[in-house]
Amino acid sequence: MLGLPSIPAFCLRPRDLRRGAVLTMAFLAAVGTGAYTGCWDREERAAVAAVPAGAPTAEGPRETGTADREAVARAVAEAVAEGKSGKKAAQEVVSRSGDRWGTVYDQGEYAAFAEGLDGHWTGVGVWAGRAPDGMIKIDKVQPGSPAARAGLRAGDRLLSVDGHAVTGLAVPDVVALLRGDAGTPVVLNLSRDGADLTETVRREQLKTEPVTVRQRPDGVTVIKVASFTRGSGDRVKAAVKAAPPGEGVVLDLRGNPGGLVTEAVTTASAFLDGGLVATYDVRGDQRVLYAAEGGDTSRPLVALVDGGTMSAAELVAGALQDRGRAVAVGSRTFGKGSVQMPTELPDGSVAELTVGTYRTPAGRSLDGGGITPDVPAGERVEERAVTVLGGLGVGP
């Protein structure tokens, strides 16, 4: 989903590439084929966000296993020397390691993922994930996209892409098949209500608005953050400053698959005056993320969350909840909080391996359990949020 420049190859010994301190919590979690092929998440969905090699990302929930970087690099070097696929060799090592969220990208895939950091990508406009029956399903179709014009629907099962069967493939691999140059056709074989159908669509340059703001008649400002792409944090800050004085804010993080951790921290900073946002470890080395000073600490705030709230979005919700800054309303979040460190391999491909976990200011792990809302809510969640704001002294 992102569009990083191509990564130069290096010799046989793997090393972390220090290309900036940008942290990301991958969307690859209903990151599916979503936004960036329109996609987001690895197994259940596919996170369409990637980061510069060497910068940690957050995925999860995952097993405790993780692949050894040097073992992966050796396997790639040996495969390349024998004229075999280095990516496939790396995937086999990662698979055997028990790191269920570990992923290997070739150079083109990694560069394509980088596109989404700016909210732009080339694809057909679907979010895909893995259904309970193991098949690849379409979770969402972007309005106005090639997929929408072709009549694709949420719930459709994807059987093959350009003749390549996708059942059993990891979601990122399906995403890679859906990507390509703008204007090129892609043939999709699908199943809907037991009937097979085939659609040919043309890939396009697509974009999304990660932050939308609307003012309710009762004066409450609703800030919807669909994903943490570049610039989303500053947009949230601007929306908070523009909100009517004394009125409450609803920060809607439902369905947010994550994104850049730096943008998540900036978003949390809109409501905090410095202090801890999260801690994380990289191979045992403890690190911290702090909010910037000067945020709005007095305006009543509710954070809306659900099972589609993942990764960086959980980091924000957990920080605001632990710091007593927001009341979380909705349902339990997904629980994606493992830290991964992308490492370039001898053939130029990139392996993303688990190296640690994120924790909230109170020390809660984001991985596995997710964030439990303070106020559970099913239907009419936004109305419930406004009621909560009323209890905080604002609202109708």
Side-chain angles (χ1 to χ4, degrees), residues 87 126 131 147 166 177 184 213 245 251 260 277 306 308 322 334 347 359 394:
K87 177 184 174 182
V126 299
V166 300
L177 291 174
T184 58
V213 184
L251 180 65
L260 290 169
V277 172
D306 66 5
D322 280 5
F334 189 84
D347 63 345
R359 293 186 178 276
V394 299

Side-chain angles (χ1 to χ4, degrees), residues 381-392 394 396:
V381 178
E382 186 175 306
E383 296 305 318
R384 181 62 167 155
V386 172
T387 300
V388 171
L389 284 174
L392 297 175
V394 299

Side-chain angles (χ1 to χ4, degrees), residues 2-396:
L2 332 187
L4 295 175
S6 58
I7 306 170
F10 60 95
C11 323
L12 299 184
R13 181 175 178 80
R15 57 187 172 85
D16 293 338
L17 301 180
R18 304 299 174 184
R19 296 194 176 227
V22 180
L23 296 172
T24 74
M25 295 181 85
F27 292 107
L28 266 161
V31 198
T33 336
Y36 301 149
T37 52
C39 114
W40 308 100
D41 191 269
R42 271 209 181 119
E43 187 161 297
E44 273 65 54
R45 305 183 166 199
V48 268
V51 285
T57 66
E59 311 290 342
R62 65 171 72 221
E63 313 265 25
T64 55
T66 184
D68 178 81
R69 290 179 299 166
E70 294 192 3
V72 175
R74 282 196 300 271
V76 171
E78 292 170 2
V80 171
E82 296 172 3
K84 299 178 181 178
S85 169
K87 177 184 174 182
K88 184 176 180 180
Q91 288 173 325
E92 291 175 351
V93 175
V94 173
S95 177
R96 291 196 301 267
S97 73
D99 189 345
R100 66 179 287 232
W101 292 92
T103 296
V104 181
Y105 302 91
D106 63 30
Q107 287 180 310
E109 292 167 350
Y110 198 71
F113 281 148
E115 263 187 304
L117 284 176
D118 292 317
H120 296 79
W121 67 94
T122 301
V124 299
V126 299
W127 280 257
R130 189 174 302 285
D133 59 8
M135 297 183 69
I136 299 296
K137 66 182 177 70
I138 293 177
D139 287 334
K140 179 181 175 182
V141 178
Q142 182 179 350
S145 67
R149 295 194 297 271
L152 272 64
R153 307 174 189 170
D156 287 349
R157 275 5 187 212
L158 185 60
L159 304 177
S160 68
V161 177
D162 281 337
H164 298 280
V166 300
T167 301
L169 292 183
V171 177
D173 293 331
V174 179
V175 172
L177 291 174
L178 288 166
R179 294 185 183 283
D181 295 332
T184 58
V186 57
V187 180
L188 307 179
N189 181 231
L190 307 111
S191 175
R192 178 187 299 163
D193 299 327
D196 289 354
L197 60 152
T198 300
E199 297 289 348
T200 299
V201 297
R202 289 189 177 275
R203 302 175 176 96
E204 292 182 2
Q205 283 289 327
L206 301 172
K207 63 180 180 179
T208 187
E209 176 53 64
V211 179
T212 55
V213 184
R214 59 186 171 86
Q215 195 78 37
R216 290 173 51 97
D218 52 32
V220 173
T221 297
V222 179
I223 304 173
K224 170 68 176 178
V225 186
S227 60
F228 288 108
T229 52
R230 188 169 288 117
S232 56
D234 285 338
R235 294 184 187 185
V236 172
K237 279 190 168 183
V240 173
K241 290 181 180 179
E247 296 292 347
V249 165
V250 173
L251 180 65
D252 191 349
L253 299 174
R254 291 175 297 171
N256 184 322
L260 290 169
V261 170
T262 49
E263 298 297 338
V265 172
T266 300
T267 295
S269 298
F271 306 100
L272 299 170
D273 186 16
L276 187 63
V277 172
T279 61
Y280 66 100
D281 60 279
V282 176
R283 302 188 184 95
D285 180 19
Q286 298 297 312
R287 307 183 187 185
V288 295
L289 298 171
Y290 290 110
E293 297 181 351
D296 187 329
T297 60
S298 60
R299 187 186 299 275
L301 176 65
V302 166
L304 297 186
V305 297
D306 66 5
T309 304
M310 308 178 189
S311 295
E314 292 178 284
L315 182 153
V316 173
L320 296 176
Q321 186 184 51
D322 280 5
R323 297 281 302 274
R325 183 62 190 87
V327 176
V329 174
S331 53
R332 183 184 293 274
T333 63
F334 189 84
K336 293 182 67 67
S338 296
V339 181
Q340 293 187 314
M341 184 74 76
T343 297
E344 189 178 6
L345 300 173
D347 63 345
S349 59
V350 176
E352 220 177 35
L353 309 176
T354 304
V355 296
T357 57
Y358 281 88
R359 293 186 178 276
T360 68
R364 293 181 293 164
S365 173
L366 293 173
D367 201 42
I371 300 295
T372 301
D374 301 297
V375 180
E379 298 180 357
R380 299 178 61 82
V381 178
E382 186 175 306
E383 296 305 318
R384 181 62 167 155
V386 172
T387 300
V388 171
L389 284 174
L392 297 175
V394 299

